Amino acid sequence: MNRMSTNFKLSRRSFLKGTAAVAAAAGAGWAGLKAPGWLQPATAAPPGVQEKVVRTICSPNCWQTCNHLVTVRDGRVVKTAPAPMPDREYDRICLRGLSHIQRIYHPDRLKYPMRRTGARGEGKWERISWDQAFNMIADKFKELRSQYGPQAVAVVHQSGNYGVLNGGYAGAYRFAGILESVLASGSVDQAIPTGFAAALGMGIFDAYSNECADWVNARTIILWGSACAESQINEWHFIQEAVEKGAHLVVIDPIYTTTAQKARTWVNLRPGSDTAFALGMLNIIISNKLYDADYALNNTCAPFLVREDTRLFVREKEKPLVWDTVTSRAVPFDTPGIKPALEGDFAVSGVKCRTVFARLKENVRDYTPEKVAELTGVKAELVTRVATLLATNRPGGIKFGFGADRYHHADLLGQALITLLGLTGNIGKSGNILGMFFAGFDPMVYNAGWLFPAGTFPKVLPLIQLQDTIIKQNPYPIKALYITCSNLLVQTTERNKWLKEVWPKVDFVVAVDQFFNNTLNYADLILPAAHYYETEEVVLAGDVPYIMYRQKAVDPVGEAKPDWEIYKGIASRLGFSQYFGTIEEESAKWLDVPLLRQQGITYQRLRQEQAIRFLPKPYIPWQDGKFKTPTGRLEFYLEKKVKEGEELPVFKWPLEAGPDNPLAAKYPLTLITRHEKFRIHSQYENQPWLRELNPEPVADLNPGEAQKRGIADGAMVEVFNDRGHVVLKCRYNEAIPPGVVHIQQGWWYYPAGHHQELTHANFKANTLNYSFFDVRVDVKKA
Amino acid sequence: MAKKYGMVIDLKRCIGCHTCAVACKLENNVPMGMFWNRVLTREASSIDLPQGNYPNLSREYLPVACQHCENAPCVKVCPVGATYKDPEGRVLINYERCIGCRYCMTACPYNARVFNWQEPVRIPAHDYGSAGVPQRKRGIVEKCSFCEQLVNAGGEPFCVTCCPARARKFGDLNDPDSEVARLIRERHGERLLEDRGTKPQVYYLR
Ligand code: SF4
Ligand code: SF4
Ligand code: SF4
Ligand code: SF4
């Protein structure tokens, strides 16, 4: 019996509906594609064609940095294909990478510098030369610097390009450092990593996990708030291969994503309740004695004694003490020949204390499966199942995505996750996954000598504090913004505040990009940036273990320039040209760091080989059980958070999303704006092929929620709260739980308003992170 | 024995990402508004929508292009012999011969063919994809060729090369040692609408 044939309707109608191409095929609608003039007949293929294939790199912040083979025919890009990598399991491309020809030759591509002639946002522009543009910027910067000091200028960057010089990373740092300007960046994706990496003694985006190629050896994989099959498409096959070898895949996500669909166990918990589930797992692992006692005693802070009064470690000459059960006394944790106690109450010189493990046990005691079920809305049995899998079906790992990161206390989830991995001994072995594999920033961005050659530095400002800084003109008198690698008004919160309170305070907004996105519309001067294929440089690794070199495949379209050349043009007019050599010179200098030098990785070699492995193969950190913390142990007890009562993971409902939140009466829905496969953040938004598949923004609502409000499938709705609104079509979608409205993040334009009008910039001091999903709204017919 | 090209698509691996669909458009110079290769979502009115009620849900993707039927109805109905079965088991179209009668489209139970109702519209405006992809004009039918231009040069179809989930395999069904033959055997490959007697050369694993 062939079930497939009957279940899929193969009629023309369902085909077209199935691909959302119906409007396109019928020549009608083109919802979201604003300029029908794009549709021009193809030219005939020219005779006697010249063809070359160039190896280069796609590098938006999906962090998969795929190496592409680009075919150039008669000077134009005609094809992109995956390039062979040194380890073939890292050969990769995706639907977006395959659409680059549309991005490069897009009719809306920004080709020249332009100056605003009408009011901000009115859309009136005049073409100017690069010389005029550079002079305008230099004159304005000079004027502001002399009147208010160098911090009157703020360089603003996000993650639009992993290119070292042209991306927001090293290049922007040098530019801002030379200018001594403010450098506003970050504040995204950093709450869970803050809590997680602290225990390891690592930076938040360091290479702390086993590389993806090793994930195939996992027996339990927990994807926590990660829709990997959509947002990191090229990491998916490693997980799938583990599953084919028998791994149990758990997906923790309120939404029935494509990733959740692939899970053996789907934990559809309530938005923002993740840490409660993690504490429930810790409780099961501790009370059922499923932990790896050897690992906990020898490699983690579990036996360290904590004073009952100050809740700090009991120390002797800086060294935390443990209770030796052989001699019944407290000794430094690294004393040879001791048998430390894992649990117990002790007194050391009259001070009451107990072990970290005992404190943790007490902390999580109340998180019984039944209590967790109440908090998270999932079956109690799931807590036990997932905890038991992680502890007993080893090796295992937890890969976090940034779904759960977008809530106020997400750092506590990070703390809980690393504690889970530590107690279950799922660290340092083949098949372990420690949060996320990110090789990118490790050896490189920290080339501080290169970044700041003049000994002058930028004032680094977390992006989430930029709005208030400008409004208050404190602590910096910011009057000009230089925005690069960022669609700021689409990728940060409180859009109304930007436009109504921030923008009036700034005299001059320069924005560098490839399209008139929703940020450029509100700038005063816009500069056309080169595409990934239109320049050469070193590219940060992302989730592959290579140092990589991007080749230039074609000249920039129009007068577009690589970001580095733009920095250089401005800096030279301000008297700083000596710090902006050619891309070639600067790449070579930048690469000259000990980690690479020791491996014989030079600029010349890199240009030739283009992708060179710089991490051991396989990359499995922490095999020796030594961490980068002061004690060398996994320190999941964070003394620096004693004041907040967060030295161990605790559960706190987020700011808005909790079910009993006071706002819930007025705004019964929470807003989730997730990443889907059609874009990387706001990049590729206007790609015609991707729009054929995903034509326009929709508000996904569970049909029950929609019907309660009298909203029909396909009707226009307004999503609103006190901060703002957005108007768009409603789509009935059973994948979305009741109580949630979902909009794909990254859309530039809506019929009215914007989803970033609904979000807020409230942050937790230790994470400085945007809580994009910690937002309450309601929906009504528009 | 002569070759019989075929494809295997592992639906357990498939994540419905449409990479194959876009790869196909790029490689084969397919105009706007058309797909030779589409990724369907089972029983859904819009892509990615699941079946059932939250949280008791299921979802399945089905990538569909020409099935290169062994017993191809499109070949039989073509009045001018433009559609033919080639010696290596592919169903191909001689675009020079096609008169645009669209009998083949009616005959194909898989809706695998698309018609150029208007002058082909391309973004960008220049021809893209591999050299050697035949031109198609207004008024003719087109479809998947198993990337003839790549396979004849010793390569594989571009959708197979690009699939991030490694869900697609291509090879010779007549060679019992080929990966495709082995997968079909070991995992009981199924074909679409087997009751039609078309004998597709594309197999699905579930
Ligand atoms: S968008 Fe990301 S996954 Fe896709 S090709 Fe580019 S780097 Fe690779
Ligand atoms: S590219 Fe592969 S995984 Fe993606 S839809 Fe096509 S067959 Fe499925
Ligand atoms: S799928 Fe359709 S077009 Fe392809 S061979 Fe079969 S009948 Fe012909
Ligand atoms: S084999 Fe080639 S022509 Fe056929 S669907 Fe795949 S990419 Fe398209």
Side-chain angles (χ1 to χ4, degrees):
Chain A
M1 172 61 204
N2 187 338
R3 284 170 299 155
M4 297 174 53
S5 310
T6 48
N7 284 341
F8 287 99
K9 292 198 200 94
L10 292 163
S11 73
R12 171 157 304 274
R13 226 179 115 253
S14 73
F15 254 141
L16 291 172
K17 275 164 87 179
T19 59
V22 63
W30 279 101
L33 282 179
K34 61 185 161 70
W38 300 357
L39 309 179
Q40 307 148 23
T43 55
V49 286
Q50 290 261 317
E51 208 168 273
K52 64 171 180 178
V53 177
V54 183
R55 187 185 168 121
T56 183
I57 302 175
C58 179
S59 60
N61 188 29
C62 60
W63 83 47
Q64 294 166 102
T65 49
C66 301
N67 288 222
H68 292 176
L69 293 179
V70 173
T71 306
V72 180
R73 190 179 301 145
D74 286 332
R76 290 181 301 205
V77 176
V78 294
K79 183 175 170 180
T80 61
M85 299 301 290
D87 308 289
R88 297 302 299 268
E89 58 266 44
Y90 289 115
D91 290 8
R92 42 179 59 186
I93 203 160
C94 80
L95 67 163
R96 296 150 300 198
L98 288 161
S99 74
H100 276 302
I101 58 163
Q102 295 197 314
R103 185 159 160 183
I104 295 170
Y105 304 110
H106 199 294
D108 285 357
R109 177 87 189 268
L110 199 57
K111 297 187 185 72
Y112 316 101
M114 295 213 242
R115 176 169 66 187
R116 175 172 65 81
T117 55
R120 277 182 179 159
E122 198 186 333
K124 291 193 178 151
W125 300 91
E126 153 187 274
R127 178 178 168 183
I128 56 173
S129 70
W130 273 108
D131 213 40
Q132 284 173 297
F134 286 145
N135 287 336
M136 248 179 96
I137 298 170
D139 291 349
K140 193 74 199 175
F141 282 11
K142 265 188 220 155
E143 175 198 321
L144 292 173
R145 284 158 62 89
S146 67
Q147 202 175 339
Y148 304 99
Q151 284 106 45
V153 175
V155 174
V156 181
H157 82 81
Q158 290 191 277
S159 55
N161 183 354
Y162 273 30
V164 164
L165 298 183
N166 299 308
Y169 303 98
Y173 272 72
R174 176 171 278 197
F175 184 60
I178 294 294
L179 295 182
E180 296 177 80
S181 73
V182 173
L183 178 72
S185 71
S187 297
V188 182
D189 300 343
Q190 59 188 42
I192 295 179
T194 297
F196 191 91
L200 300 157
M202 295 290 265
I204 57 177
F205 295 118
D206 282 347
Y208 43 72
S209 176
N210 300 19
E211 69 174 295
C212 304
D214 181 63
W215 299 358
V216 302
N217 300 315
R219 293 181 44 78
T220 298
I221 297 179
I222 303 177
L223 297 181
W224 205 305
S226 164
C228 171
E230 292 138 281
S231 56
Q232 282 140 356
I233 289 177
N234 282 296
E235 290 185 4
W236 173 255
H237 77 95
F238 298 111
I239 291 165
Q240 175 68 32
E241 277 151 38
V243 167
E244 284 171 11
K245 286 172 38 181
H248 191 121
L249 178 64
V250 179
V251 174
I252 301 182
D253 199 317
I255 295 181
Y256 185 68
T257 61
T258 296
T259 317
Q261 152 198 343
K262 299 287 180 182
R264 174 125 53 113
T265 300
W266 173 38
V267 181
N268 62 312
L269 43 61
R270 196 169 271 145
S273 70
D274 301 74
T275 308
F277 193 83
L279 298 188
M281 287 173 66
L282 282 166
N283 184 26
I284 291 289
I285 286 164
I286 293 172
S287 48
N288 294 357
K289 295 202 176 355
L290 299 175
Y291 48 84
D292 182 333
D294 270 357
Y295 199 82
L297 279 172
N298 298 315
N299 303 93
T300 80
C301 64
F304 290 6
L305 296 172
V306 178
R307 300 171 61 115
E308 208 169 285
D309 50 1
T310 61
R311 306 209 306 281
L312 300 174
F313 294 148
V314 183
R315 295 177 189 270
E316 191 182 295
K317 290 190 194 134
E318 297 300 304
K319 277 193 182 164
L321 304 186
V322 296
W323 190 262
D324 179 21
T325 55
V326 181
T327 56
S328 290
R329 61 195 179 92
V331 295
F333 72 95
D334 56 355
T335 312
I338 54 168
K339 283 207 163 65
L342 191 57
E343 289 188 63
D345 292 297
F346 307 97
V348 179
S349 319
V351 176
K352 280 188 172 176
C353 54
R354 58 205 314 210
T355 64
V356 164
F357 185 85
R359 295 197 70 97
L360 178 68
K361 185 173 178 176
E362 190 192 336
N363 264 29
V364 300
R365 198 179 46 200
D366 292 342
Y367 289 87
T368 60
E370 294 67 33
K371 166 95 176 285
V372 172
E374 225 171 87
L375 292 167
T376 62
V378 302
K379 287 199 192 81
E381 175 264 326
L382 279 180
V383 186
T384 315
R385 189 198 306 171
V386 178
T388 308
L389 275 169
L390 183 67
T392 63
N393 192 34
R394 291 193 280 167
I398 302 174
K399 174 179 155 56
F400 55 71
F402 296 118
D405 189 78
R406 276 129 173 71
Y407 297 91
H408 193 69
H409 291 292
D411 56 322
L412 291 166
L413 178 63
Q415 289 174 237
L417 299 185
I418 191 66
T419 309
L420 277 165
L421 291 170
L423 285 191
T424 55
N426 276 308
I427 296 181
K429 295 150 198 116
S430 176
N432 290 147
I433 306 171
L434 273 70
M436 58 173 173
F437 174 62
F438 201 85
F441 291 176
D442 190 9
M444 299 175 281
V445 156
Y446 303 127
N447 188 343
W450 184 91
L451 293 178
F452 308 118
T456 54
F457 300 92
K459 300 282 186 204
V460 176
L461 179 70
L463 191 54
I464 201 163
Q465 293 179 316
L466 181 61
Q467 286 183 332
D468 276 347
T469 302
I470 296 175
I471 292 169
K472 297 188 183 123
Q473 291 286 297
N474 182 13
Y476 309 117
I478 299 169
K479 298 274 189 284
L481 299 178
Y482 182 94
I483 305 170
T484 177
C485 300
S486 164
N487 193 349
L488 190 72
L489 298 180
V490 172
Q491 295 303 127
T492 59
T493 62
E494 295 215 54
R495 185 180 155 86
N496 279 328
K497 204 169 183 180
W498 279 123
L499 293 177
K500 291 179 187 150
E501 297 177 53
V502 177
W503 244 239
K505 296 251 178 184
V506 284
D507 295 353
F508 189 49
V509 179
V510 184
V512 188
D513 215 305
Q514 290 162 6
F515 295 100
F516 270 104
N517 59 38
N518 208 328
T519 301
L520 264 64
N521 267 353
Y522 293 93
D524 303 315
L525 178 64
I526 56 181
L527 305 176
H531 178 268
Y532 306 129
Y533 296 174
E534 293 170 341
T535 178
E536 63 170 348
E537 70 179 312
V538 181
V539 177
L540 297 173
D543 69 357
V544 290
Y546 310 110
I547 284 277
M548 295 182 294
Y549 190 75
R550 155 186 291 146
Q551 288 195 96
K552 177 172 164 177
V554 283
D555 286 329
V557 159
E559 292 180 2
K561 278 188 195 294
D563 288 68
W564 183 257
E565 303 292 334
I566 304 176
Y567 294 139
K568 197 167 155 173
I570 300 167
S572 64
R573 281 163 178 79
L574 294 171
F576 298 119
S577 56
Q578 69 270 36
Y579 302 115
F580 292 85
T582 63
I583 286 180
E584 198 166 349
E585 287 162 8
E586 299 294 349
S587 299
K589 284 188 205 156
W590 187 79
L591 268 179
D592 191 22
V593 290
L595 179 91
L596 301 182
R597 221 181 296 137
Q598 283 154 17
Q599 301 185 53
I601 299 174
T602 59
Y603 176 69
Q604 276 68 28
R605 211 186 124 198
L606 187 62
R607 274 200 79 158
Q608 218 155 33
E609 296 172 42
Q610 293 175 27
I612 305 178
R613 200 173 166 107
F614 73 99
L615 290 174
K617 181 178 178 177
Y619 181 66
I620 303 172
W622 322 117
Q623 292 183 61
D624 60 359
K626 300 251 180 314
F627 298 92
K628 295 267 200 293
T629 52
T631 59
R633 296 284 183 103
L634 184 77
E635 288 189 30
F636 56 79
Y637 188 95
L638 303 179
E639 288 179 288
K640 64 180 178 197
K641 290 186 84 185
V642 162
K643 241 195 298 127
E644 295 84 11
E646 297 180 352
E647 64 275 17
L648 285 168
V650 289
F651 173 60
K652 298 178 178 178
W653 283 112
L655 285 185
E656 293 192 8
D660 300 328
N661 191 282
L663 277 171
K666 193 170 175 197
Y667 296 118
L669 304 175
T670 67
L671 172 69
I672 293 182
T673 48
R674 59 188 285 262
H675 298 237
E676 288 206 25
K677 53 204 168 199
F678 307 104
R679 283 191 293 283
I680 308 296
H681 295 289
S682 93
Q683 294 195 62
Y684 305 95
E685 198 260 12
N686 58 348
Q687 296 291 76
W689 289 342
L690 303 179
R691 284 297 193 90
E692 287 187 299
L693 300 164
N694 184 47
E696 61 183 329
V698 291
D700 286 304
L701 263 186
N702 188 283
E705 289 288 3
Q707 282 151 3
K708 253 197 261 174
R709 293 165 175 77
I711 296 165
D713 193 13
M716 293 303 283
V717 292
E718 180 179 26
V719 185
F720 63 98
N721 61 17
D722 291 344
R723 291 179 287 264
H725 79 145
V726 60
V727 174
L728 70 176
K729 230 179 228 173
C730 169
R731 176 170 74 167
Y732 282 16
N733 189 343
E734 284 284 358
I736 309 300
V740 170
V741 55
H742 166 257
I743 301 173
Q744 291 171 1
Q745 71 120 310
W747 288 109
W748 297 354
Y749 299 101
Y750 291 93
H754 197 279
H755 73 265
Q756 292 293 19
E757 290 184 11
L758 303 162
T759 51
H760 60 75
N762 299 320
F763 59 86
K764 197 171 171 181
N766 67 311
T767 67
L768 293 155
N769 200 49
Y770 282 110
S771 296
F772 292 108
F773 299 0
D774 197 357
V775 165
R776 283 200 164 271
V777 296
D778 202 359
V779 179
K780 64 180 180 206
K781 283 195 259 184
Chain B
M1 201 191 328
K3 276 192 179 134
K4 184 164 92 181
Y5 284 127
M7 194 178 282
V8 172
I9 304 175
D10 185 343
L11 299 184
K12 276 216 167 89
R13 284 191 157 240
C14 175
I15 50 175
C17 66
H18 300 270
T19 299
C20 51
V22 177
C24 179
K25 290 195 73 152
L26 175 65
E27 167 63 20
N28 292 297
N29 200 22
V30 178
M32 292 300 295
M34 294 189 192
F35 286 92
W36 290 5
N37 185 351
R38 316 169 206 233
V39 183
L40 309 188
T41 310
R42 175 201 292 270
E43 290 289 317
S45 59
S46 167
I47 55 167
D48 296 330
L49 294 185
Q51 296 306 298
N53 295 104
Y54 190 92
N56 302 309
L57 298 164
S58 66
R59 189 195 284 111
E60 195 174 22
Y61 295 111
L62 181 72
V64 184
C66 174
Q67 307 289 301
H68 294 273
C69 305
E70 195 169 325
N71 186 22
C74 56
V75 173
K76 288 187 212 147
V77 299
C78 182
V80 292
T83 290
Y84 62 101
K85 188 83 178 165
D86 97 330
E88 300 190 306
R90 296 172 287 205
V91 171
L92 299 174
I93 304 174
N94 181 339
Y95 294 112
E96 301 290 312
R97 280 200 171 187
C98 175
I99 54 167
C101 68
R102 292 182 287 127
Y103 289 177
C104 56
M105 291 182 75
T106 315
C108 171
Y110 305 98
N111 199 9
R113 292 168 169 257
V114 284
F115 185 65
N116 287 279
W117 288 98
Q118 54 178 357
E119 277 307 319
V121 168
R122 294 193 172 84
I123 304 173
H126 60 263
D127 283 309
Y128 40 83
S130 286
V133 173
Q135 292 285 309
R136 289 96 52 190
K137 294 190 189 65
R138 175 181 176 163
I140 66 167
V141 167
E142 54 184 76
K143 69 161 191 72
C144 161
S145 66
F146 271 164
C147 289
E148 190 192 0
Q149 65 284 357
L150 297 175
V151 172
N152 290 350
E156 62 183 7
F158 200 47
C159 56
V160 175
T161 306
C162 294
C163 172
R166 281 90 165 129
R168 307 174 78 101
K169 308 286 174 196
F170 179 79
D172 181 6
L173 300 174
N174 280 343
D175 172 3
D177 297 330
S178 69
E179 189 180 18
V180 280
R182 185 181 56 76
L183 282 168
I184 293 164
R185 217 169 36 237
E186 287 173 4
R187 293 195 43 202
H188 312 289
E190 293 178 39
R191 296 185 288 187
L192 296 177
L193 305 174
E194 289 207 52
D195 53 323
R196 303 291 178 94
T198 48
K199 296 191 175 169
Q201 285 165 214
V202 176
Y203 288 77
Y204 295 88
L205 310 177
R206 307 177 81 195

